[in-house]
Amino acid sequence: MFSFFKSKKKPAEPETPTKDTESELIAEPEATEEAASQPEAVSEPVSEPVSEPAPEPAPEPAPELASEPAPEPEKISFASKLRLGLSRTRQNLGKQLTGLFSGGKIDEELYEELETILLTSDAGVNATTQLLEDLRKQVKREDLTDAAQLKKALQESLIKILEPLEKPLDITTHEPFVIMITGVNGVGKTTSIGKLAKYFQSQGKSVLLAAGDTFRAAAREQLIVWGERNNVTVIAPDSDPNKKSDPAAIIFDAINSAKARGIDIVLADTAGRLTTQLHLMEEIKKVKRVIGKAMSDAPHEVLLVLDANTGQNAVTQVQAFDEALDVTGLILTKLDGTAKGGVVAAIAGQYPQDPPALRFIGVGEGVDDLRPFNARAFVEAMFD
């Protein structure tokens, strides 16, 4: 400020300054005094905006929040999925049994009501009769008097009936292990094949798919999509709709290809057919014979896919396909879509001596929702 005043006094040396220059010299110091006072006021807020950008890095935690929920669905156990899938059966059967076993004495009226509940849940006559006989024996043996005690007894009786169905599939006996998939239309054969491929891959096995369903529109494309999803090779017929392909020949080529590539498991899809269509049942017998020519003792497993929503009709399908193909195992799908899960007991009741193995059950639409059958876990999921 002092240098400012020195620079202004030099032009004022003439002895006759004008009034205008004097007023300018007098006015300028006042301006400088105002300017001099401004830096003090300005210097205080200068530090404030410097500190304001500091909170801006806060958005960094956002990716952590987005990544946390992703792994949670993978932690859901199959027991939880099974319980969720059988929720409709549990709500239907469980509510009725809870009302029946809420209290009171054990008498013939109670047995009659229990019989009605079991029959209406698709348990079937044979299984219902077995369950009631076993319950009566438990009541006498353990001297049960209260109806509430029957709930646990019924669970144990049901587990006893279903345990013969629980036979894990051994795929180590042959290489490649050839599995033939069959069933009526619309039960979910192709989808089950895709899920089986994923399941076997999770066990470290290599898989090859054979698109032997040459009748249903888009069956070939659907299996190819499953193959791409699981990174699995698919042996499929020509895409030209004017060319008819022999399903037996396709599966024959698939087995030979699996031998050459050292594949562990071959999953052979076949066209859906009604058990009343005798010519189609004869055709599938031919497919099985051709598989045996490609590899001795093949197919090593004949899996019949059943829709749980068909109820007692599923038992009829087991009988018909068993007569034609000697079915060795079952896949029960769409259990999450029915309120009558008793069809499993109906199948067991139909074959009291040597029931077919219930290899897998499906309780959802997810690729991991097809798992090996466990009798105790299944029964516990049916009850509250």
Side-chain angles (χ1 to χ4, degrees):
M1 182 165 60
F2 293 104
S3 62
F4 175 80
F5 281 113
K6 288 178 182 178
S7 62
K8 293 296 181 178
K9 285 181 180 180
K10 288 180 180 180
E13 288 181 2
E15 295 180 359
T16 58
T18 61
K19 292 182 180 181
D20 293 337
T21 55
E22 288 180 1
S23 61
E24 285 177 4
L25 291 174
I26 295 170
E28 283 177 358
E30 290 178 1
T32 55
E33 287 178 1
E34 290 176 2
S37 62
Q38 285 177 0
E40 296 178 0
V42 172
S43 61
E44 291 179 1
V46 168
S47 59
E48 292 180 1
V50 173
S51 61
E52 287 179 3
E56 292 183 0
E60 291 182 359
E64 297 178 3
L65 295 173
S67 60
E68 285 179 0
E72 288 182 1
E74 299 176 1
K75 296 179 182 179
I76 299 176
S77 65
F78 184 71
S80 301
K81 289 183 179 180
L82 179 61
R83 185 169 177 80
L84 180 63
L86 293 176
S87 58
R88 295 182 64 181
T89 296
R90 186 170 59 255
Q91 290 170 4
N92 180 47
L93 180 63
K95 285 182 179 179
Q96 295 184 69
L97 293 178
T98 299
L100 183 62
F101 298 149
S102 58
K105 62 181 181 178
I106 301 174
D107 54 15
E108 285 301 317
E109 184 179 350
L110 183 143
Y111 285 123
E112 289 178 3
E113 289 185 25
L114 178 58
E115 181 181 16
T116 302
I117 292 173
L118 292 173
L119 288 173
T120 55
S121 65
D122 283 339
V125 175
N126 293 343
T128 299
T129 302
Q130 292 179 47
L131 286 170
L132 291 175
E133 288 178 357
D134 192 62
L135 276 178
R136 290 177 186 273
K137 291 177 182 179
Q138 285 193 63
V139 169
K140 290 181 180 180
R141 183 173 60 249
E142 300 176 15
D143 194 23
L144 304 179
T145 57
D146 190 355
Q149 297 172 307
L150 278 183
K151 185 175 182 179
K152 184 65 177 176
L154 178 61
Q155 288 185 17
E156 294 302 322
S157 296
L158 192 54
I159 291 171
K160 186 191 299 185
I161 289 179
L162 298 185
E163 277 182 339
L165 299 177
E166 186 182 328
K167 300 174 184 177
L169 179 60
D170 184 8
I171 57 176
T172 61
T173 56
H174 298 83
E175 187 176 333
F177 191 88
V178 181
I179 302 176
M180 180 180 179
I181 314 292
T182 187
V184 301
N185 301 300
V187 294
K189 292 188 304 301
T190 306
T191 300
S192 296
I193 289 174
K195 294 180 179 181
L196 281 175
K198 181 68 175 179
Y199 172 77
F200 290 131
Q201 281 183 318
S202 68
Q203 295 186 325
K205 302 297 182 181
S206 56
V207 182
L208 184 142
L209 306 182
D213 185 353
T214 59
F215 290 93
R216 183 172 65 88
R220 170 187 176 277
E221 288 73 16
Q222 184 181 359
L223 200 64
I224 289 175
V225 169
W226 275 109
E228 292 173 350
R229 193 177 296 178
N230 296 322
N231 195 23
V232 170
T233 301
V234 179
I235 304 300
D238 197 302
S239 59
D240 188 352
N242 297 321
K243 293 182 179 180
K244 292 184 179 181
S245 301
D246 183 5
I250 293 168
I251 298 175
F252 184 91
D253 291 342
I255 294 173
N256 288 328
S257 177
K259 288 180 181 179
R261 302 182 187 195
I263 299 295
D264 297 319
I265 299 171
V266 176
L267 297 174
D269 191 12
T270 60
R273 63 204 68 223
L274 296 175
T275 55
T276 54
Q277 296 173 318
L278 299 180
H279 65 291
L280 293 179
M281 295 301 288
E282 288 299 322
E283 184 182 74
I284 201 169
K285 291 179 184 179
K286 173 198 167 186
V287 172
K288 185 181 178 183
R289 289 193 299 268
V290 171
I291 290 175
K293 293 178 180 179
M295 183 177 182
S296 60
D297 299 330
H300 310 113
E301 181 80 6
V302 179
L303 286 179
L304 174 62
V305 182
L306 301 169
D307 184 345
N309 292 283
T310 58
Q312 290 296 304
N313 192 32
V315 179
T316 305
Q317 294 173 25
V318 174
Q319 294 173 337
F321 279 95
D322 189 34
E323 290 176 5
L325 301 171
D326 294 325
V327 173
T328 56
L330 307 175
I331 298 177
L332 191 61
T333 64
K334 307 178 185 180
L335 276 166
D336 56 318
T338 179
K340 300 179 179 182
V343 64
V344 181
I347 295 170
Q350 192 67 30
Y351 298 88
Q353 301 301 324
D354 187 22
L358 180 53
R359 304 294 194 190
F360 298 91
I361 58 173
V363 292
E365 297 181 359
V367 70
D368 297 322
D369 291 339
L370 187 73
R371 295 290 182 87
F373 173 70
N374 181 284
R376 181 168 292 277
F378 182 82
V379 172
E380 289 176 353
M382 288 177 64
F383 288 80
D384 289 326

